[in-house]
């Protein structure tokens, strides 16, 4: 089991310097929580974060727009939906806002780039994966997209964040392939070559091609195949010899 460290940044002013590169060296995931439309636009277009987590219990001044959220999704940033406020909150207005904002997010993003989280402050606010998928289907998200929001999308954001920090420009990753085996000594290699040479010779000390005196096996006339032309010549010569004997 691997434990990841996450840092949440609350964006209150778009002109602030959040030192995200320094935070990325200390944490595995960096999430941004915008508080207004300007900071949301900044997080989607320019901030180098991994997750955009929205407080869906509050009412936003404007509706979510696909060009803005689509830019974040194309950059590999995931949109986080937290569902525990809609279950555990005692404020009916917060529940209405969460349902309205979640439905709007699912409709605008077409169910792509969404991850589900509980953000629960107690164990009672956590639900099983099947319950979360059913809750997302009530908000208008399909079953397959809901399953991806719990399995595929969270894994992709973790791997993408790891590649950004450990690989070369997020493309080439260096994988440990083991150590190179040590070179064998030269004397041992020579001994093996000598053993191979002795094995290739017969008990008389000669190679297989030197069994006949002065004539290798592959050059022996007995084993050399006769061509068709030579066979025809031999046949013609025999016929001529037979004709001469009859004439005599």
């Amino acid at each position: 089991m691997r434990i990841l460290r996450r840092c949440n940044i609350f964006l209150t002013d778009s002109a602030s310097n959040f030192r995200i590169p320094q935070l990325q060296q200390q944490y595995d995931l960096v999430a941004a929580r915008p508080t207004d439309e300007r900071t949301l636009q900044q997080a989607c277009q320019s901030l180098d974060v991994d997750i955009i987590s929205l407080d869906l219990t509050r009412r936003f001044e404007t509706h979510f727009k696909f060009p803005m959220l689509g830019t974040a999704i194309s950059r590999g940033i995931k949109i986080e939906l937290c569902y525990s406020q809609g279950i555990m909150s005692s404020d009916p207005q917060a529940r209405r806002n969460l349902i309205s904002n979640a439905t709007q997010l699912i409709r605008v993003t077409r169910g792509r780039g969404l991850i589900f989280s509980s953000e629960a402050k107690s164990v009672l606010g956590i639900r099983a994966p099947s319950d979360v998928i059913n809750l997302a289907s009530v908000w208008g998200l399909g079953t397959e997209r809901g399953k991806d929001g719990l399995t595929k999308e969270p894994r992709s954001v973790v791997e993408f964040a790891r590649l950004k920090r450990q690989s070369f420009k997020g493309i080439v990753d260096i994988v440990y392939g083991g150590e190179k085996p040590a070179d064998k000594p030269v004397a041992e290699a020579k001994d093996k070559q000598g053993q191979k040479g002795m094995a290739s010779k017969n008990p008389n000390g000669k190679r297989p091609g030197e069994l006949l005196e002065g004539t290798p096996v592959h050059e022996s006339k007995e084993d050399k195949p006769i061509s068709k032309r030579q066979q025809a010549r031999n046949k013609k010569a025999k016929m001529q010899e037979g004709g001469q004997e009859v004439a005599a």
Side-chain angles (χ1 to χ4, degrees):
M1 183 178 65
R2 184 174 58 170
I3 300 176
L4 303 177
R5 295 174 298 175
R6 169 175 165 172
C7 177
N8 295 327
I9 304 174
F10 288 84
L11 307 180
T12 56
D13 187 7
S14 59
S16 300
N17 183 13
F18 303 103
R19 299 180 181 179
I20 293 178
Q22 288 79 7
L23 293 174
Q24 289 177 345
Q25 300 297 328
Q26 302 295 330
Y27 296 92
D28 298 308
L29 295 172
V30 177
R33 170 155 288 188
T35 56
D36 54 9
E37 184 182 3
R38 183 175 298 178
T39 54
L40 176 60
Q41 184 176 2
Q42 180 188 14
C44 293
Q45 295 179 356
S46 60
L47 290 184
D48 188 14
V49 295
D50 304 315
I51 300 172
I52 295 178
S53 179
L54 299 174
D55 185 9
L56 302 181
T57 58
R58 58 183 297 271
R59 184 179 180 85
F60 290 89
E61 298 178 358
T62 58
H63 295 286
F64 298 113
K65 300 177 182 179
F66 176 75
M68 181 171 55
L69 297 177
T71 303
I73 295 173
S74 63
R75 293 175 56 210
I77 302 175
K78 306 301 179 183
I79 311 298
E80 184 181 38
L81 295 179
C82 302
Y83 60 84
S84 65
Q85 292 90 346
I87 300 173
M88 303 298 297
S89 179
S90 58
D91 186 6
Q93 184 63 33
R95 291 185 179 183
R96 284 195 295 267
N97 291 338
L98 187 142
I99 295 173
S100 176
N101 292 328
T103 305
Q104 187 182 161
L105 269 177
I106 292 172
R107 178 178 55 82
V108 170
T109 59
R110 302 181 180 93
R112 294 177 296 179
L114 299 178
I115 60 176
F116 293 96
S117 178
S118 64
E119 201 182 12
K121 298 180 180 179
S122 64
V123 183
L124 298 177
I126 301 175
R127 292 295 182 269
S130 58
D131 296 336
V132 178
I133 294 174
N134 293 333
L135 182 62
S137 64
V138 173
W139 293 341
L141 188 64
T143 304
E144 293 297 329
R145 292 288 186 181
K147 185 177 180 181
D148 291 342
L150 293 174
T151 56
K152 179 181 176 181
E153 299 295 344
R155 179 177 177 82
S156 65
V157 71
V158 171
E159 291 299 324
F160 187 67
R162 183 186 65 83
L163 286 175
K164 285 196 301 184
R165 290 157 179 78
Q166 299 181 3
S167 64
F168 176 72
K169 294 185 178 181
I171 300 175
V172 181
D173 191 11
I174 300 175
V175 181
Y176 177 72
E179 297 180 357
K180 183 179 179 181
D183 296 335
K184 297 181 179 180
V186 180
E188 185 179 353
K190 289 184 178 180
D191 293 341
K192 287 189 175 182
Q193 290 180 358
Q195 292 176 3
K196 289 182 180 179
M198 293 297 294
S200 62
K201 292 184 178 181
N202 56 14
N204 297 328
K206 295 183 179 181
R207 297 183 182 276
E210 300 175 354
L211 293 177
L212 299 178
E213 295 181 358
T215 305
V217 175
H218 60 275
E219 294 182 359
S220 177
K221 293 183 179 180
E222 297 178 358
D223 298 336
K224 186 176 181 180
I226 302 175
S227 62
K228 293 183 178 181
R229 182 177 295 179
Q230 187 65 29
Q231 291 177 3
R233 290 178 181 176
N234 295 341
K235 185 176 180 181
K236 186 176 180 181
K238 289 181 180 180
M239 292 177 63
Q240 290 178 358
E241 291 178 0
Q244 291 177 1
E245 291 178 358
V246 172

